mmCIF file of all heavy atoms in Angstrom:
data_model
loop_
_atom_site.group_PDB
_atom_site.id
_atom_site.type_symbol
_atom_site.label_atom_id
_atom_site.label_comp_id
_atom_site.label_asym_id
_atom_site.label_seq_id
_atom_site.Cartn_x
_atom_site.Cartn_y
_atom_site.Cartn_z
ATOM 1 N N ILE A 583 0.813 -1.201 0.000
ATOM 2 C CA ILE A 583 0.000 0.000 0.000
ATOM 3 C C ILE A 583 0.857 1.266 0.000
ATOM 4 O O ILE A 583 0.477 2.291 -0.588
ATOM 5 C CB ILE A 583 -0.956 0.009 1.213
ATOM 6 C CG1 ILE A 583 -1.859 -1.230 1.182
ATOM 7 C CG2 ILE A 583 -1.798 1.279 1.228
ATOM 8 C CD1 ILE A 583 -2.723 -1.350 -0.046
ATOM 9 N N THR A 584 2.014 1.225 0.650
ATOM 10 C CA THR A 584 2.863 2.418 0.705
ATOM 11 C C THR A 584 3.437 2.783 -0.655
ATOM 12 O O THR A 584 3.974 3.878 -0.822
ATOM 13 C CB THR A 584 4.015 2.229 1.705
ATOM 14 O OG1 THR A 584 4.733 1.033 1.372
ATOM 15 C CG2 THR A 584 3.499 2.147 3.125
ATOM 16 N N ALA A 585 3.336 1.873 -1.614
ATOM 17 C CA ALA A 585 3.757 2.191 -2.971
ATOM 18 C C ALA A 585 2.602 2.753 -3.788
ATOM 19 O O ALA A 585 2.791 3.209 -4.916
ATOM 20 C CB ALA A 585 4.314 0.953 -3.673
ATOM 21 N N MET A 586 1.396 2.747 -3.189
ATOM 22 C CA MET A 586 0.210 3.156 -3.913
ATOM 23 C C MET A 586 -0.372 4.472 -3.416
ATOM 24 O O MET A 586 -1.140 5.121 -4.125
ATOM 25 C CB MET A 586 -0.858 2.056 -3.813
ATOM 26 C CG MET A 586 -0.405 0.720 -4.367
ATOM 27 S SD MET A 586 -1.582 -0.608 -4.028
ATOM 28 C CE MET A 586 -3.012 -0.041 -4.937
ATOM 29 N N VAL A 587 -0.044 4.853 -2.185
ATOM 30 C CA VAL A 587 -0.545 6.110 -1.640
ATOM 31 C C VAL A 587 0.617 6.897 -1.053
ATOM 32 O O VAL A 587 1.642 6.319 -0.671
ATOM 33 C CB VAL A 587 -1.628 5.881 -0.555
ATOM 34 C CG1 VAL A 587 -2.807 5.115 -1.113
ATOM 35 C CG2 VAL A 587 -1.039 5.152 0.650
ATOM 36 N N PRO A 588 0.509 8.220 -0.952
ATOM 37 C CA PRO A 588 1.570 9.041 -0.353
ATOM 38 C C PRO A 588 1.758 8.690 1.118
ATOM 39 O O PRO A 588 0.839 8.167 1.758
ATOM 40 C CB PRO A 588 1.055 10.475 -0.526
ATOM 41 C CG PRO A 588 0.021 10.401 -1.600
ATOM 42 C CD PRO A 588 -0.609 9.040 -1.470
ATOM 43 N N PRO A 589 2.931 8.988 1.690
ATOM 44 C CA PRO A 589 3.204 8.651 3.092
ATOM 45 C C PRO A 589 2.167 9.187 4.070
ATOM 46 O O PRO A 589 1.784 8.489 5.013
ATOM 47 C CB PRO A 589 4.579 9.292 3.333
ATOM 48 C CG PRO A 589 5.223 9.341 1.993
ATOM 49 C CD PRO A 589 4.100 9.583 1.023
ATOM 50 N N GLU A 590 1.703 10.428 3.857
ATOM 51 C CA GLU A 590 0.748 10.991 4.803
ATOM 52 C C GLU A 590 -0.572 10.226 4.804
ATOM 53 O O GLU A 590 -1.240 10.106 5.828
ATOM 54 C CB GLU A 590 0.505 12.479 4.510
ATOM 55 C CG GLU A 590 -0.135 12.796 3.173
ATOM 56 C CD GLU A 590 0.867 12.979 2.040
ATOM 57 O OE1 GLU A 590 2.025 12.546 2.216
ATOM 58 O OE2 GLU A 590 0.484 13.557 1.004
ATOM 59 N N GLN A 591 -0.954 9.668 3.640
ATOM 60 C CA GLN A 591 -2.183 8.889 3.589
ATOM 61 C C GLN A 591 -1.989 7.523 4.244
ATOM 62 O O GLN A 591 -2.917 6.982 4.861
ATOM 63 C CB GLN A 591 -2.644 8.738 2.141
ATOM 64 C CG GLN A 591 -3.118 10.035 1.524
ATOM 65 C CD GLN A 591 -3.706 9.860 0.143
ATOM 66 O OE1 GLN A 591 -3.973 8.739 -0.298
ATOM 67 N NE2 GLN A 591 -3.919 10.962 -0.562
ATOM 68 N N ALA A 592 -0.795 6.966 4.111
ATOM 69 C CA ALA A 592 -0.505 5.692 4.780
ATOM 70 C C ALA A 592 -0.591 5.857 6.294
ATOM 71 O O ALA A 592 -1.186 5.032 6.998
ATOM 72 C CB ALA A 592 0.876 5.189 4.368
ATOM 73 N N TRP A 593 -0.012 6.952 6.811
ATOM 74 C CA TRP A 593 -0.061 7.186 8.250
ATOM 75 C C TRP A 593 -1.487 7.502 8.706
ATOM 76 O O TRP A 593 -1.904 7.119 9.806
ATOM 77 C CB TRP A 593 0.888 8.316 8.645
ATOM 78 C CG TRP A 593 2.303 7.840 8.751
ATOM 79 C CD1 TRP A 593 3.363 8.220 7.982
ATOM 80 C CD2 TRP A 593 2.812 6.879 9.679
ATOM 81 N NE1 TRP A 593 4.506 7.553 8.376
ATOM 82 C CE2 TRP A 593 4.187 6.723 9.413
ATOM 83 C CE3 TRP A 593 2.249 6.136 10.710
ATOM 84 C CZ2 TRP A 593 5.006 5.854 10.148
ATOM 85 C CZ3 TRP A 593 3.043 5.259 11.435
ATOM 86 C CH2 TRP A 593 4.413 5.137 11.143
ATOM 87 N N ALA A 594 -2.257 8.188 7.881
ATOM 88 C CA ALA A 594 -3.656 8.447 8.215
ATOM 89 C C ALA A 594 -4.429 7.138 8.297
ATOM 90 O O ALA A 594 -5.289 6.951 9.176
ATOM 91 C CB ALA A 594 -4.285 9.370 7.169
ATOM 92 N N LEU A 595 -4.117 6.217 7.403
ATOM 93 C CA LEU A 595 -4.766 4.908 7.422
ATOM 94 C C LEU A 595 -4.421 4.157 8.714
ATOM 95 O O LEU A 595 -5.286 3.530 9.324
ATOM 96 C CB LEU A 595 -4.333 4.102 6.199
ATOM 97 C CG LEU A 595 -4.968 2.720 6.001
ATOM 98 C CD1 LEU A 595 -6.479 2.806 6.027
ATOM 99 C CD2 LEU A 595 -4.484 2.114 4.686
ATOM 100 N N VAL A 596 -3.157 4.237 9.128
ATOM 101 C CA VAL A 596 -2.759 3.613 10.397
ATOM 102 C C VAL A 596 -3.556 4.211 11.551
ATOM 103 O O VAL A 596 -4.052 3.499 12.429
ATOM 104 C CB VAL A 596 -1.246 3.787 10.642
ATOM 105 C CG1 VAL A 596 -0.871 3.330 12.057
ATOM 106 C CG2 VAL A 596 -0.442 2.992 9.610
ATOM 107 N N ALA A 597 -3.688 5.539 11.562
ATOM 108 C CA ALA A 597 -4.442 6.213 12.628
ATOM 109 C C ALA A 597 -5.898 5.746 12.657
ATOM 110 O O ALA A 597 -6.465 5.480 13.724
ATOM 111 C CB ALA A 597 -4.376 7.728 12.438
ATOM 112 N N PHE A 598 -6.516 5.637 11.491
ATOM 113 C CA PHE A 598 -7.909 5.188 11.417
ATOM 114 C C PHE A 598 -8.047 3.766 11.958
ATOM 115 O O PHE A 598 -8.977 3.467 12.717
ATOM 116 C CB PHE A 598 -8.416 5.249 9.979
ATOM 117 C CG PHE A 598 -9.759 4.605 9.779
ATOM 118 C CD1 PHE A 598 -10.904 5.162 10.331
ATOM 119 C CD2 PHE A 598 -9.873 3.430 9.046
ATOM 120 C CE1 PHE A 598 -12.154 4.552 10.164
ATOM 121 C CE2 PHE A 598 -11.105 2.820 8.879
ATOM 122 C CZ PHE A 598 -12.249 3.377 9.440
ATOM 123 N N LEU A 599 -7.128 2.886 11.580
ATOM 124 C CA LEU A 599 -7.199 1.503 12.044
ATOM 125 C C LEU A 599 -6.956 1.419 13.554
ATOM 126 O O LEU A 599 -7.601 0.625 14.243
ATOM 127 C CB LEU A 599 -6.187 0.643 11.279
ATOM 128 C CG LEU A 599 -6.478 0.501 9.780
ATOM 129 C CD1 LEU A 599 -5.358 -0.275 9.084
ATOM 130 C CD2 LEU A 599 -7.820 -0.185 9.538
ATOM 131 N N GLU A 600 -6.058 2.228 14.065
ATOM 132 C CA GLU A 600 -5.836 2.259 15.513
ATOM 133 C C GLU A 600 -7.111 2.688 16.240
ATOM 134 O O GLU A 600 -7.400 2.211 17.344
ATOM 135 C CB GLU A 600 -4.716 3.237 15.871
ATOM 136 C CG GLU A 600 -3.314 2.710 15.627
ATOM 137 C CD GLU A 600 -2.258 3.646 16.180
ATOM 138 O OE1 GLU A 600 -2.436 4.880 16.102
ATOM 139 O OE2 GLU A 600 -1.246 3.144 16.699
ATOM 140 N N SER A 601 -7.860 3.587 15.648
ATOM 141 C CA SER A 601 -9.071 4.110 16.294
ATOM 142 C C SER A 601 -10.176 3.070 16.404
ATOM 143 O O SER A 601 -11.154 3.275 17.125
ATOM 144 C CB SER A 601 -9.597 5.329 15.511
ATOM 145 O OG SER A 601 -10.217 4.940 14.294
ATOM 146 N N GLN A 602 -10.037 1.966 15.701
ATOM 147 C CA GLN A 602 -11.043 0.908 15.756
ATOM 148 C C GLN A 602 -10.798 0.021 16.982
ATOM 149 O O GLN A 602 -10.256 -1.067 16.910
ATOM 150 C CB GLN A 602 -11.016 0.076 14.467
ATOM 151 C CG GLN A 602 -11.148 0.875 13.190
ATOM 152 C CD GLN A 602 -12.396 1.730 13.178
ATOM 153 O OE1 GLN A 602 -13.521 1.216 13.285
ATOM 154 N NE2 GLN A 602 -12.224 3.033 13.017
ATOM 155 N N GLY A 603 -11.167 0.554 18.137
ATOM 156 C CA GLY A 603 -11.041 -0.213 19.370
ATOM 157 C C GLY A 603 -9.749 -0.004 20.122
ATOM 158 O O GLY A 603 -9.508 -0.651 21.140
ATOM 159 N N GLY A 604 -8.892 0.901 19.647
ATOM 160 C CA GLY A 604 -7.613 1.121 20.299
ATOM 161 C C GLY A 604 -7.321 2.594 20.524
ATOM 162 O O GLY A 604 -8.204 3.437 20.408
ATOM 163 N N THR A 605 -6.072 2.886 20.835
ATOM 164 C CA THR A 605 -5.639 4.254 21.098
ATOM 165 C C THR A 605 -4.822 4.778 19.938
ATOM 166 O O THR A 605 -3.882 4.115 19.471
ATOM 167 C CB THR A 605 -4.778 4.313 22.383
ATOM 168 O OG1 THR A 605 -5.550 3.819 23.478
ATOM 169 C CG2 THR A 605 -4.335 5.743 22.664
ATOM 170 N N VAL A 606 -5.166 5.935 19.439
ATOM 171 C CA VAL A 606 -4.451 6.534 18.301
ATOM 172 C C VAL A 606 -3.200 7.249 18.807
ATOM 173 O O VAL A 606 -3.301 8.184 19.610
ATOM 174 C CB VAL A 606 -5.357 7.531 17.549
ATOM 175 C CG1 VAL A 606 -4.589 8.176 16.404
ATOM 176 C CG2 VAL A 606 -6.606 6.824 17.040
ATOM 177 N N ASP A 607 -2.032 6.788 18.364
ATOM 178 C CA ASP A 607 -0.803 7.473 18.747
ATOM 179 C C ASP A 607 -0.014 7.950 17.530
ATOM 180 O O ASP A 607 1.131 8.375 17.643
ATOM 181 C CB ASP A 607 0.086 6.592 19.635
ATOM 182 C CG ASP A 607 0.489 5.283 18.963
ATOM 183 O OD1 ASP A 607 -0.006 4.997 17.856
ATOM 184 O OD2 ASP A 607 1.303 4.539 19.549
ATOM 185 N N VAL A 608 -0.644 7.898 16.347
ATOM 186 C CA VAL A 608 -0.042 8.498 15.152
ATOM 187 C C VAL A 608 -0.198 10.008 15.267
ATOM 188 O O VAL A 608 -1.261 10.504 15.648
ATOM 189 C CB VAL A 608 -0.735 7.999 13.868
ATOM 190 C CG1 VAL A 608 -0.145 8.698 12.645
ATOM 191 C CG2 VAL A 608 -0.599 6.498 13.734
ATOM 192 N N THR A 609 0.845 10.744 14.962
ATOM 193 C CA THR A 609 0.801 12.205 15.019
ATOM 194 C C THR A 609 1.376 12.797 13.742
ATOM 195 O O THR A 609 1.909 12.077 12.890
ATOM 196 C CB THR A 609 1.618 12.722 16.218
ATOM 197 O OG1 THR A 609 3.020 12.451 15.977
ATOM 198 C CG2 THR A 609 1.183 12.062 17.514
ATOM 199 N N GLY A 610 1.292 14.103 13.654
ATOM 200 C CA GLY A 610 1.884 14.788 12.513
ATOM 201 C C GLY A 610 3.380 14.566 12.427
ATOM 202 O O GLY A 610 3.979 14.675 11.338
ATOM 203 N N ALA A 611 4.012 14.223 13.560
ATOM 204 C CA ALA A 611 5.453 13.971 13.567
ATOM 205 C C ALA A 611 5.799 12.766 12.702
ATOM 206 O O ALA A 611 6.874 12.716 12.079
ATOM 207 C CB ALA A 611 5.945 13.751 14.994
ATOM 208 N N ASP A 612 4.911 11.778 12.643
ATOM 209 C CA ASP A 612 5.160 10.609 11.788
ATOM 210 C C ASP A 612 5.176 11.012 10.324
ATOM 211 O O ASP A 612 5.973 10.492 9.536
ATOM 212 C CB ASP A 612 4.086 9.548 12.032
ATOM 213 C CG ASP A 612 4.183 8.935 13.416
ATOM 214 O OD1 ASP A 612 5.244 8.373 13.747
ATOM 215 O OD2 ASP A 612 3.196 9.018 14.168
#
């Protein structure tokens, strides 16, 4: 997937998946 979307979208996807029952710790620093 990281070859198909820009890095910021990949990290946004990680944040969304973390939010599904977990704690979001992805930040703009990533």
Side-chain angles (χ1 to χ4, degrees):
I583 302 300
T584 54
M586 301 172 63
V587 301
E590 64 272 17
Q591 291 186 12
W593 279 116
L595 183 53
V596 171
F598 171 68
L599 295 175
E600 282 188 323
S601 74
Q602 306 304 301
T605 301
V606 178
D607 59 354
V608 177
T609 68
D612 292 302

